[in-house]
Amino acid sequence: MKKVLTVLLIIVLLIVGALWYVMSGAGDFIRSQIEKQGSRYMQTEVAVDGVDIGYSDAKMDITGLRVSNPDGFSDEIALGMGTMTFDLGGISSEPYVVQNVTIDAPEILYEMNAQTQSNLLTLKNNLQANLPKGEQKEQSGNEEMPRVIVENVTISNARLRLDLEAVETGELQVDKKSYEVKLPTFNAGPVGQPDGLPADQVGAAIMDALLDNAIKQAKEQAREQLKDRAREELKKETDKLKEKAEEKLKGLFNKDNN
């Protein structure tokens, strides 16, 4: 009897070990696919530190996702995600349901070069150019890609750094061309309803929404900064004209007194 129990225990341990090996390998597979497909879509290096799948609480964390600047810009990181948390819903059959994707405190760089091209718009254009079009949109070039639905995407506490150092502003002297702002919470989604999209296309759709919002916010912030500077310059010129007018009037009155 003891021998039978020992054999059964060994079998159970082997099964558990095999399952653990398969499940632990899933994170590495997802990480490699994010890097491979992300780099292909964005036409720049996409790197991920790790993917942790919590089977007991139905969560997946992607840590250290970084998107490098595209060609023609600095060597800095354009997007740094920190941690992306996926609250998994229905995962027993396709399409798999992700109830919520939370991206907390991403770091975003909006950089403009001397040709007034922006890094984020370049990344967005690269993404759009490489996404499937029309009927192909519902298909994936990789048959291994599972179909996924995301019910909601929340991006909060984003830090946006604007770098306009390379931009020529002509006669408008702008002392500060690099600054950081905190963006309001942004919600995007659902993605892939009703039948789901291949996982790589879902990730691309989330990135596209994030880029859209960041570009919009960056343009507004840059516009406001330049407006404020223009107002300051106008006020200086107005004050100078006012001083000249006062001096002229003063000179005229002095003549009359003579």
Side-chain angles (χ1 to χ4, degrees):
M1 186 68 179
K2 287 183 179 179
K3 288 183 178 180
V4 173
L5 289 174
T6 302
V7 171
L8 287 174
L9 180 59
I10 292 172
I11 291 172
V12 169
L13 289 174
L14 287 173
I15 292 172
V16 170
L19 286 173
W20 176 252
Y21 176 80
V22 171
M23 289 190 296
S24 62
D28 288 336
F29 173 75
I30 292 171
R31 178 186 58 76
S32 66
Q33 285 299 312
I34 292 171
E35 292 182 338
K36 178 182 176 181
Q37 301 300 333
S39 299
R40 179 169 68 88
Y41 281 136
M42 310 292 282
Q43 292 297 291
T44 189
E45 184 182 3
V46 175
V48 177
D49 286 342
V51 176
D52 181 37
I53 303 174
Y55 294 93
S56 59
D57 54 1
K59 286 184 181 294
M60 180 175 73
D61 290 333
I62 298 173
T63 55
L65 189 151
R66 302 176 303 282
V67 180
S68 298
N69 253 346
D71 290 339
F73 297 89
S74 70
D75 294 332
E76 295 192 54
I77 299 298
L79 300 167
M81 297 302 178
T83 299
M84 302 172 64
T85 300
F86 292 70
D87 294 316
L88 307 177
I91 56 172
S92 59
S93 61
E94 291 191 52
Y96 303 114
V97 177
V98 177
Q99 293 175 334
N100 194 53
V101 176
T102 304
I103 305 173
D104 186 48
E107 295 183 357
I108 306 169
L109 171 66
Y110 182 86
E111 179 184 324
M112 293 188 75
N113 58 23
Q115 292 74 42
T116 66
Q117 299 168 328
S118 78
N119 63 333
L120 297 188
L121 184 57
T122 300
L123 288 174
K124 179 178 170 60
N125 289 340
N126 290 345
L127 183 61
Q128 291 290 334
N130 288 287
L131 279 173
K133 303 294 189 300
E135 294 181 359
Q136 295 180 343
K137 191 174 182 180
E138 296 297 319
Q139 303 173 358
S140 175
N142 188 339
E143 294 180 359
E144 296 179 354
M145 280 289 172
R147 300 182 76 81
V148 178
I149 293 173
V150 177
E151 295 181 343
N152 187 52
V153 181
T154 303
I155 302 166
S156 57
N157 303 312
R159 288 179 292 172
L160 174 65
R161 182 161 66 89
L162 290 92
D163 185 350
L164 310 177
E165 295 289 350
V167 178
E168 292 292 336
T169 55
E171 295 181 359
L172 183 61
Q173 298 298 315
V174 180
D175 298 328
K176 189 177 181 181
K177 290 186 178 182
S178 181
Y179 45 92
E180 186 176 292
V181 294
K182 184 177 177 180
L183 301 184
T185 297
F186 171 67
N187 291 300
V191 175
Q193 288 186 346
D195 301 320
L197 284 174
D200 58 337
Q201 293 179 31
V202 169
I206 293 172
M207 185 63 70
D208 191 56
L210 186 151
L211 287 170
D212 266 344
N213 183 57
I215 291 168
K216 178 183 175 183
Q217 296 284 348
K219 285 182 176 179
E220 289 178 0
Q221 291 292 334
R223 193 178 296 117
E224 286 304 313
Q225 288 288 331
L226 291 175
K227 278 184 180 178
D228 289 344
R229 187 58 185 165
R231 290 190 194 102
E232 290 175 9
E233 291 294 325
L234 182 60
K235 186 177 183 301
K236 285 181 182 178
E237 291 300 320
T238 303
D239 289 343
K240 286 180 183 178
L241 290 173
K242 185 178 177 182
E243 287 176 8
K244 286 181 180 179
E246 287 176 351
E247 288 176 4
K248 189 171 183 180
L249 286 172
K250 190 176 181 180
L252 287 172
F253 284 128
N254 287 338
K255 270 185 191 177
D256 290 339
N257 290 335
N258 293 333

